[in-house]
Amino acid sequence: MTTQTVALPVNGQGRRRLQLSLMVNFFLLMALYSGVLGVLLPNQIAEMNPGNKANNLAILFAITSVFSTLTTPIAGALSDRTRSRWGRRSPWIAIASVVGSLCLFGVSWMTSFWSLMVFWVMATVAYNSMQPAMTTVIADRFPPETRGVVSGVVGAGMTAGLTAGTVVAGYLAGAQVLAYSLFALAIAASCIAFVVINREPSSAEQPRRSFSWIAFAKGFWISPKDHPDFAWAFAGRFTIYMGYQAVAAYMLYILRDYIGLSDAQSNIAIANLAILTLICLIVSSLASGYLSDRFQRRKPFVIAASLIMGCAMVAPLVLPNMTGMWIYAGVIGIGYGMFMSIDMALMTQVLPQSAEGDEGKDLGVLTTAVNIPQIISPVMAAILLNLFGGDYAVIFIAAVIFVFGSALCVAPIRSVR
């Protein structure tokens, strides 16, 4: 018996419960990421050294993202090999979420940049050990023909979380410890509830796979020649996040130094813009997931999402004021909601076929297409700002190029319609 029989597809009430639980978990995880990375950490870093805030933020993103990139595929592969009465994924979801939340609480008390860095790196490693296991539940327990709806519901949760986290953090930016604690407690409690409510079949009796460090390391290389669709999907995801992350990482500073808002005004503005994005995200994500399953099409939606997101990033270039930012907020919500809702379904359908049950590892590799841009794009943005005298318009120009490029990468995929 292979490891792929460990987690059986769910049906009926169990499927609806698991779907809702995944949506809640990803909502809270994305809320944490957006609130902490987009608002709380930039505020904390700016208070420590206002004159070097952009460079310090780039350093933090780069260092922590290196750990994220390494952690995600390794944790996914180890979850494939986990044997316990709680299954393969549940121990990683529960334990890593608690460890990450304890470290995140520590971040809130730090008063120096490098002590903050240490605690945030530990939190990042923990949360990125949990995320691939939770993502792989979709491939484990939902058949391919239903993953559009599942991906749409989960994508709606993720996109809503990205917005809700920014709103909460924006309004609680003045109460630093409270804000961090709220995010930390929410994700830990949700993940523990997830593994209890959606009990995963035991993997304790499954045959243990032989282990070799050399073979383990080689397993992370997925040949583009042998699996071209996987490579194109990786490239499409990589390029769209290069563009999206460059803007998202510096949004607070864009509002302050490009639009001209004060510190207090920018914290409120980033929250208010996020509310508009939230509305557009939810509608777009749910509608796209439903239509994708209805027509059994993934590629047209992902390509359209890339083009819409690129158009959104043009708005602040044409109108470098709050009107341009309002247009950006609404249109990016439509595009990103469409992308998030379909992207996950597309990713699960380009995985290399394996009798060894390597979905966790393979999805972990695809997740690095999100993590690597977190390393490169803030550094790229900081370099561009230094080269162009701190003009944030150059970030939007670079973002447009990358996001439009994503559509060109998705088009050659053949195994998914």
Side-chain angles (χ1 to χ4, degrees), residues 212-409:
S212 163
W213 281 109
I214 295 176
F216 182 73
K218 287 182 177 179
F220 291 109
W221 171 249
I222 299 173
S223 170
K225 181 179 179 180
D226 296 335
H227 304 284
D229 285 353
F230 185 92
W232 282 119
F234 184 97
R237 202 179 222 198
F238 175 88
T239 50
I240 203 168
Y241 275 101
M242 276 294 294
Y244 180 78
Q245 292 286 352
V247 175
Y250 285 93
M251 180 57 72
L252 193 68
Y253 300 163
I254 287 169
L255 291 171
R256 293 176 183 178
D257 301 334
Y258 182 63
I259 303 301
L261 303 183
S262 68
D263 289 2
Q265 288 173 330
S266 64
N267 284 326
I268 300 300
I270 200 172
N272 290 338
L273 289 170
I275 293 173
L276 173 61
T277 302
L278 172 62
I279 297 170
C280 297
L281 282 168
I282 293 176
V283 174
S284 175
S285 184
L286 291 175
S288 300
Y290 170 78
L291 292 173
S292 176
D293 267 4
R294 174 77 178 270
F295 297 107
Q296 286 297 297
R297 295 287 191 275
R298 312 296 187 209
K299 284 172 52 179
F301 290 93
V302 176
I303 291 172
S306 302
L307 299 177
I308 292 170
M309 289 175 66
C311 292
M313 292 167 179
V314 172
L317 289 171
V318 178
L319 298 170
N321 50 39
M322 281 306 297
T323 299
M325 295 308 298
W326 281 113
I327 296 172
Y328 166 84
V331 179
I332 201 72
I334 296 171
Y336 195 50
M338 182 181 295
F339 175 78
M340 290 284 283
S341 69
I342 309 303
D343 173 66
M344 193 175 295
L346 187 147
M347 294 298 120
T348 62
Q349 290 181 232
V350 298
L351 298 178
Q353 296 299 311
S354 169
E356 297 298 322
D358 285 331
E359 296 91 347
K361 181 263 293 179
D362 295 338
L363 281 170
V365 172
L366 282 172
T367 302
T368 64
V370 179
N371 293 334
I372 293 175
Q374 290 179 352
I375 303 171
I376 302 173
S377 61
V379 175
M380 174 193 72
I383 292 172
L384 290 174
L385 287 173
N386 287 325
L387 289 175
F388 290 87
D391 185 359
Y392 282 85
V394 70
I395 295 180
F396 286 105
I397 294 171
V400 169
I401 294 171
F402 276 109
V403 171
F404 280 156
S406 176
L408 300 177
C409 295

